[in-house]
Amino acid sequence: MRSLLLIFPLLLLAGDANKTHYFKLLMEQQDPYVFDKSQRIELKKAMLEAETKKKIAELEYQKAVEVEKVKKEAVEVKSQAEVEKEKVSISPEQEMVKVKQKMLLYGFALALITLVVIYFIFKKYQAHKEKIELEKMKLQEAIHEKEMKIREKEIQAQMASKLIDAIASGNLSKEQEDKLLKIATNSHNLLENKK
């Protein structure tokens, strides 16, 4: 029993020690470095290292951004130089294309002018041809009229010779001769009226 009496205060003390230890554990969970100085130093070291790493990371990020900017600018300058080079190399080709376009335009204009000139020449030729045809027709008409006059005179001469033959034959009576002379003078007048 005596041992029990000794153990009991120890248990109570141990219980108090457990309470303190429990209290200390609670405090460490809230701020684990409050009670231990070496741990506080470690925490500060870790915080400084973390801050240093953060600054280094930021610097490296900025450096990477700047490097990317420089690379991008270099690419832009290079591409711009290539574009200028291509412009210089394309320029003669573009000039040839422009010259060909001008030649095509001038050729088209020349062809159009040629067509217009040919059209006017054709119209003049047609008008001249019509004029010649009209003159030919007038000439043929004049020739035809002359032939008709010649035939008329031939017919009149034939009629006159037949009349003279008929009168000279003496087979006709005086009345018949007068009638024939009258018809001959009337036919002569009729032929003149027809003209």
Side-chain angles (χ1 to χ4, degrees), residues 171-185:
N171 295 338
L172 298 173
S173 67
K174 184 79 172 155
E175 286 178 14
Q176 288 176 338
E177 284 178 12
D178 286 339
K179 279 184 181 179
L180 279 176
L181 283 172
K182 196 175 185 184
I183 289 172
T185 53

Side-chain angles (χ1 to χ4, degrees), residues 100-136:
K100 285 180 182 178
Q101 286 176 345
K102 283 184 182 179
M103 287 176 63
L104 187 65
L105 182 67
Y106 290 145
F108 179 73
L110 184 64
L112 189 64
I113 290 170
T114 305
L115 282 175
V116 169
V117 168
I118 289 172
Y119 175 76
F120 280 120
I121 290 172
F122 179 74
K123 281 295 188 182
K124 285 260 186 189
Y125 171 75
Q126 288 286 53
H128 183 67
K129 190 176 177 183
E130 286 177 11
K131 187 178 177 183
I132 290 173
E133 289 293 322
L134 281 174
E135 287 177 5
K136 278 185 181 178

Side-chain angles (χ1 to χ4, degrees), residues 2 44-45 63 82 120 123 127 139 143 164 182:
R2 204 172 176 199
K44 283 187 180 181
K45 269 187 183 178
K63 180 181 171 184
E82 286 178 7
F120 280 120
K123 281 295 188 182
L139 187 63
I143 291 171
I164 290 173
K182 196 175 185 184

Side-chain angles (χ1 to χ4, degrees), residues 66-79:
E66 290 298 320
V67 167
E68 287 299 317
K69 276 186 186 178
V70 168
K71 282 182 183 178
K72 187 177 178 182
E73 287 174 5
V75 168
E76 285 177 2
V77 168
K78 186 177 178 183
S79 65

Side-chain angles (χ1 to χ4, degrees), residues 14 21 25 67 78 105 141 150 163-164 167 169 172 183 192:
H21 183 63
L25 283 175
V67 167
K78 186 177 178 183
L105 182 67
E141 194 176 309
I150 290 171
L163 264 175
I164 290 173
I167 292 175
S169 70
L172 298 173
I183 289 172
E192 285 179 0

